[in-house]
Amino acid sequence: MADDPDRPGADEWVPPGADLAGLRRAAHECRGCELWRDATQVVFSSGRAGAAIMLVGEQPGDREDLEGKPFVGPSGRLLADAVDAAGIAREGVYVTNAVKHFRFERRGTRRIHMKPAVAHIVACRPWLEAEFEAVGPGVIVALGATAARSVLGRTVRIGEVRGRVLPPDAAGGASVFPVPVLVTTHPSALLRIEDAADRRAAYATFVDELRIAADIAQ
Ligand code: URA
Ligand code: SF4
């Protein structure tokens, strides 16, 4: 459901009522915004229908764009470790992104990550809604501000909402997801903390928050 009438968004590419395999196939054709043009491929998700926890990241990074799978780079390793540390079985999580194509800027031979704009987040949200329907999780964990913008349907400051369990109507009705949402930090933000003790403390909080999500999803 694009809020902006000038941008059609992904709606017309999302097959209604499709299962995950059908959604994944259809996403390769998506032209809901311009990000498909420069990306290598769509990066859809990993995980199965029936997973209790839906983890939503920002967008694929360089490695994900090349491999076609979400969270396979450094922040993916941290995320997998944190899921394990929280005592959550891997098959209990469904992992996806708010935006399914890599947005970047070329500098020489390098591709520098660029944050998706709100228009990209809005254009791509129909995929997230369809994934939610196909998976049926009991809780959504939004990793960082982009994911929170998509899931809650409005811009929030992470500091204001972080670690709290937000009921489905916490966004003033802007969220279309009828389950609790927990907003936490993005794993790449944890990787950027330079001081080792601070990084360990932030990681421990992150693991605790995943545990809270797992408890709700029971
Ligand atoms: N960061 C994300 O938000 N998503 C990925 O898939 C990889 C890194
Ligand atoms: Fe479609 Fe999302 Fe890719 Fe844009 S980023 S083309 S809306 S899949």
Side-chain angles (χ1 to χ4, degrees):
M1 266 158 284
D3 310 340
D4 179 347
D6 296 333
R7 285 186 177 257
D11 276 318
E12 66 181 276
W13 285 275
V14 178
D19 63 6
L20 282 180
L23 293 174
R24 180 166 287 124
R25 254 193 322 273
H28 286 275
E29 310 302 321
C30 186
R31 304 291 182 259
C33 73
E34 80 287 1
L35 292 183
W36 66 274
R37 253 181 244 277
D38 293 330
T40 308
Q41 58 191 317
V42 74
V43 176
F44 198 67
S45 67
S46 60
R48 307 182 197 157
I53 306 174
M54 176 155 146
L55 293 176
V56 182
E58 181 193 72
Q59 64 171 346
D62 186 73
R63 286 273 304 279
E64 288 80 13
D65 170 79
L66 296 172
E67 291 191 30
K69 295 197 193 98
F71 284 104
V72 290
S75 47
R77 238 181 339 267
L78 185 145
L79 182 61
D81 287 348
V83 166
D84 288 346
I88 302 166
R90 296 274 174 96
E91 56 277 13
V93 292
Y94 176 82
V95 180
T96 192
N97 282 303
V99 172
K100 308 286 195 263
H101 278 102
F102 179 35
R103 186 182 194 210
F104 61 92
E105 195 175 52
R106 259 183 223 288
R107 287 211 207 124
T109 56
R110 292 181 60 207
R111 303 192 302 171
I112 310 294
H113 165 275
M114 278 177 85
K115 260 187 186 310
V118 169
H120 302 126
I121 300 170
V122 170
C124 214
R125 195 168 67 167
W127 289 114
L128 203 62
E129 293 169 15
E131 290 170 275
F132 178 85
E133 292 299 325
V135 174
V139 64
I140 301 177
V141 177
L143 304 167
T146 295
R149 173 65 181 81
S150 181
V151 172
L152 299 175
R154 69 179 175 110
T155 303
V156 292
R157 274 198 231 146
I158 296 300
E160 276 168 28
V161 290
R162 169 157 195 194
R164 295 206 332 256
V165 177
L166 305 173
D169 61 356
S175 174
V176 294
F177 302 105
V179 297
V181 174
L182 190 139
V183 179
T184 182
T185 190
H186 191 284
S188 67
L190 296 176
L191 291 172
R192 283 195 301 268
I193 301 174
E194 280 179 24
D195 181 81
D198 289 351
R199 198 171 52 244
R200 267 197 304 277
Y203 176 77
T205 303
F206 183 63
V207 170
D208 285 345
E209 288 167 346
L210 292 178
R211 235 180 248 126
I212 293 170
D215 287 345
I216 306 168
Q218 297 297 314

